[in-house]
Amino acid sequence: PRFDYKCSCIINYNIYANKFAYSNVGYKYLGLDFTPIRKEFSGKSIKIHPKIKNVFVSTGGSDALNITEKIINICCVQMPKFNFHILLGNMNCNSDELINKYSKYSNIVFHHNGELISDIMTNCDLAITACGSTVYELMSLGIPVITFILADNQIYNAEALYSVNK
């Protein structure tokens, strides 16, 4: 951690939580068992499809680097036999431009925060997402994930997920 605070309790639900000592902490709740999952994700059945047809794509809430468009150009446009469900975050300043430019493709469906995201995810066979908290939601549903790092605070997640899957 960046700061060594003296406190009575800490909750770090990240997969890499045990990486830190937390020497000044009384009670420690560390690891995936303590991940706060939104209510819409509880009780969902886990299903893994043998063939990939539907792909969920998320770059988080803002996507200042317009990674969504890069993914659309690399994957969605080049692979028309797959359906791509693109989640556009509330602060994505490129949403309107992306919808106008790519809605002509029948294999691309745009979704917005506010929709029941867990239903969209469970109808997908694979996910491509930034290595933030969305990864934990996808893992709770048993959906295979391809991740990438968009921010420094996602590096530990990516390293820990990589080491688990070696």
Side-chain angles (χ1 to χ4, degrees):
R2 294 183 182 172
F3 306 101
D4 194 15
Y5 291 111
K6 183 174 173 76
C7 60
S8 59
C9 173
I10 190 162
I11 301 170
N12 183 344
Y13 60 85
N14 290 293
I15 193 169
Y16 61 82
N18 290 318
K19 181 178 182 85
F20 305 111
Y22 299 111
S23 57
N24 288 333
V25 177
Y27 295 99
K28 301 173 193 173
Y29 301 96
L30 307 176
L32 295 176
D33 288 340
F34 303 101
T35 305
I37 298 292
R38 291 181 288 161
K39 189 174 184 176
E40 73 173 275
F41 289 90
S42 62
K44 296 275 184 184
S45 61
I46 295 173
K47 57 182 177 181
I48 297 177
H49 300 122
K51 291 187 177 182
I52 296 171
K53 179 156 178 62
N54 294 295
V55 180
F56 177 81
V57 177
S58 173
T59 57
S62 61
D63 193 16
L65 301 173
N66 202 14
I67 301 299
T68 303
E69 184 163 26
K70 291 173 178 62
I71 293 172
I72 290 172
N73 284 321
I74 293 169
C75 298
C76 309
V77 173
Q78 303 298 322
M79 296 184 263
K81 68 179 183 175
F82 298 106
N83 298 314
F84 292 89
H85 295 268
I86 313 289
L87 179 62
L88 297 171
N90 290 336
M91 296 180 290
N92 187 323
C93 58
N94 301 307
S95 292
D96 293 338
E97 180 184 323
L98 291 170
I99 292 168
N100 289 334
K101 190 172 180 180
Y102 295 102
S103 59
K104 64 184 175 187
Y105 293 91
S106 61
N107 67 323
I108 299 174
V109 179
F110 290 101
H111 302 277
H112 299 278
N113 279 343
E115 297 179 48
L116 207 55
I117 303 305
S118 62
D119 285 348
I120 297 165
M121 289 176 174
T122 56
N123 288 313
C124 290
D125 313 307
L126 176 71
I128 302 171
T129 187
C131 208
S133 57
T134 302
V135 168
Y136 298 120
E137 294 171 341
L138 290 158
M139 287 170 52
S140 77
L141 298 172
I143 298 171
V145 180
I146 297 170
T147 64
F148 54 91
I149 299 167
L150 264 185
D152 288 347
N153 65 353
Q154 297 173 353
I155 293 171
Y156 288 140
N157 257 357
E159 290 173 345
L161 288 168
Y162 175 75
S163 66
V164 167
N165 291 306
K166 274 202 228 176

